[in-house]
Amino acid sequence: MTTLLMTPGPTRVPESVLAAGAMPMVHHRSDEFSGLLVSTLDRLRPLFGATGDVLPVHATGRGALEAAITNLFSPGDEVVACCNGRFGEMWAEIATRFGLVVHRACSDWSRSIDPRDVEATLDAHPMARAVMLPHSDTSTGVLNDVAGVAAAARRSGALLLVDAVSSLGGVPFRFDDWGVDVAVTASQKCLMSSPGLSFVALSHRAWEAQAVARLPRSYFDFAAIRKALARARPETPGTTPVHIVAQVHAALTCIGEEGVANVFARHQQMALMTREAVSALGLSLQCPALGQLSPTLTAIRAPEHIGPAGIRDQMKARGILVARGLGRFESTCFRIGHMGDIRPADVRRTLDALAEILRSGTR
Ligand SMILES: Cc1ncc(COP(=O)(O)O)c(C=O)c1O
C-alpha cells in the first residue's frame, strides 16, 4: 500500500509529474532543455505575481534562503527577523552565522506577526537594511501578513525578504503588488515535485543590494545565475538538476489545467475541512490565537491520553503519514499537510482515521 503523505512537504508527486521525472536524460546545455527551463520560469512568474527575475537555485529551500542572505548583505549589516515559528527562527540563525546583526521583531510562536511590531523594531534599529518574514511558517500553520509587513518595511526603506517555501503555489502571492524584494520557494511542497530545487524572485531593489553586497558567495551567486539565463541559449551555471526542472514544469501544467484560482480554493477548502474536524472532534489547534491560518497545513494539539506519537503511529498503521510537531510543540502536537496534489478526499480519509483513533482512545 502506498503511504498517503499528509505531511507539509515533501508532498505527493502526481503521476504526470513522476513521469516527467523519468524522462530519458537530456543534456543541460541542449536547446531542448533550455526551452523547458525558460518555460518553467515563465510559468512560475505568475505564481509569484512577479514580472521580473525568477532564478532557479540548485538546492532545497534552505540553500536558497542562505543564498538570499549571502547575495544581499555584507558582514555586520543589520536586519529585522520575524521569528514566530521554527522557519523564521531558522532564517534568523542563518543570517547570524553569516555575520549579520539580527533584531527579532517577534519570537512568540503562538502569535501572528503584527506589522506594527515590525515597524517598532525598525524604528528602534534605523540602520536595519531588511526585514525577513516567513509567509506560511510550517511549524505553526500561521499565515503572516506579507502586505502589511511590506508596507512597514517600505516606510523605513528596508528590503523585504519572504520565505514562501510552504505557501507559493497553494496561496496567492503578489510579489510586485505587495512590494516584496526577495521571495524564495522550493520544489517539494505546493509545487508537487521532488526535493532539490528552489526558485527565487528578485526586485530591482534587491539587485541594487546584490551589486554592493560583500558576503562571499560562489555556487549560489545570483548574478552568475542571471547571466547564464541571459545567454542566447538560457542555462544555469553548473549541471542543472534537469529532472526536477522537468517535474516542476509538469506540475505547473497540472496547476494550469486545474486553474490557479481553483487550486487556491481547493487549499482553502481542505484547510477549512481540517479546522472544522478539529473542533468537531473536541481537539484544539496548536496555536489557537493565530490571526490568520495557512491554507497549506494545520498544526493540532494531540489529546493527552493518546499523545502525538500515538496519533502518528496509529495513522501510519492506517497508511497515512502526518508530521510531528516542531520545537517546543514536539511532545504535544502533530501537523497535517494539505497542499500540492492533496485532494479533499485525502483530507476526508485522514480526518476519518483521526476520528477512529480518538474513538478507540488508545495510545
Ligand atoms: C517555511 C519553510 N522554510 C524553509 C524550509 C526549509 O526548506 P528545505 O527543507 O527545502 O531546505 C521549510 C521546510 O519545511 C519550510 O517549511
Side-chain angles (χ1 to χ4, degrees):
M1 182 173 60
T2 318
T3 303
L4 174 59
L5 285 184
M6 295 299 292
T7 51
T11 62
R12 180 170 67 208
V13 179
E15 287 293 329
S16 63
V17 177
L18 283 175
M23 71 176 182
M25 182 54 73
V26 55
H27 198 275
H28 61 291
R29 306 281 181 230
S30 64
D31 290 342
E32 183 189 354
F33 177 70
S34 181
L36 192 72
L37 176 65
V38 170
S39 168
T40 304
L41 300 177
D42 285 347
R43 288 176 180 197
L44 270 170
R45 249 177 234 109
L47 277 190
F48 275 102
T51 46
D53 289 309
V54 172
L55 309 182
V57 175
H58 305 170
T60 65
R62 212 178 149 116
L65 294 173
E66 175 176 319
I69 302 293
T70 57
N71 275 268
L72 266 73
F73 301 108
S74 302
D77 274 353
E78 294 182 41
V79 292
V80 168
C82 301
C83 298
N84 61 334
R86 166 84 189 92
F87 293 97
E89 188 53 51
M90 184 184 83
W91 211 4
E93 282 163 18
I94 294 173
T96 304
R97 283 194 206 166
F98 279 96
L100 304 197
V101 177
V102 176
H103 307 291
R104 283 166 174 72
C106 173
S107 46
D108 180 351
W109 288 27
S110 60
R111 281 182 46 210
S112 297
I113 294 294
D114 184 337
R116 286 170 304 187
D117 290 345
V118 175
E119 204 164 330
T121 313
L122 284 167
D123 285 346
H125 303 283
M127 298 300 285
R129 299 199 45 238
V131 177
M132 294 152 57
L133 173 78
H135 187 200
S136 158
D137 197 305
T138 324
S139 61
T140 63
V142 70
L143 191 73
N144 285 316
D145 174 9
V146 180
V149 173
R154 193 63 72 193
R155 271 194 287 279
S156 71
L159 298 169
L160 176 63
L161 283 59
V162 180
D163 171 352
V165 168
S166 67
S167 61
L168 198 104
V171 182
F173 199 90
R174 304 193 212 293
F175 186 89
D176 290 348
D177 293 348
W178 289 338
V180 178
D181 295 295
V182 177
V184 174
T185 198
S187 51
Q188 79 276 20
K189 296 189 193 267
C190 299
L191 296 181
M192 308 181 280
S193 300
S194 298
L197 187 60
S198 296
F199 299 95
V200 180
L202 292 148
S203 72
H204 287 300
R205 285 169 14 116
W207 281 115
E208 282 167 14
Q210 210 266 352
V212 296
R214 286 181 286 103
L215 274 172
R217 66 197 87 114
S218 170
Y219 184 63
F220 294 131
D221 185 340
F222 289 165
I225 300 173
R226 179 161 75 164
K227 194 166 156 205
L229 286 172
R231 291 193 183 126
R233 190 193 55 228
E235 57 190 12
T236 68
T239 309
T240 322
V242 291
H243 287 91
I244 314 183
V245 174
Q247 284 195 332
V248 173
H249 189 265
L252 293 167
T253 302
C254 296
I255 291 175
E257 283 169 359
E258 186 176 350
V260 170
N262 295 329
V263 170
F264 294 158
R266 173 166 56 79
H267 281 76
Q268 282 289 5
Q269 180 194 353
M270 296 190 297
L272 208 63
M273 284 170 72
T274 309
R275 283 179 226 143
E276 280 173 3
V278 164
S279 106
L281 293 170
L283 299 175
S284 70
L285 294 177
Q286 170 185 295
C287 301
L290 293 176
Q292 206 187 339
L293 296 163
S294 176
T296 62
L297 79 138
T298 304
I300 303 167
R301 181 170 294 277
E304 266 172 38
H305 62 288
I306 304 181
I311 299 274
R312 293 185 67 227
D313 287 349
Q314 294 186 61
M315 282 283 190
K316 212 181 282 174
R318 289 165 171 80
I320 303 168
L321 192 68
V322 297
R324 66 192 166 92
L326 291 180
R328 70 180 166 90
F329 295 107
E330 185 171 352
S331 60
T332 51
C333 298
F334 63 99
R335 295 171 301 146
I336 298 180
H338 28 75
M339 65 172 92
D341 187 47
I342 294 302
R343 310 279 146 179
D346 301 311
V347 176
R348 178 49 49 216
R349 183 179 149 201
T350 305
L351 298 173
D352 287 349
L354 180 59
E356 201 178 275
I357 293 165
L358 295 182
R359 269 198 307 275
S360 84
T362 51
R363 262 184 193 268

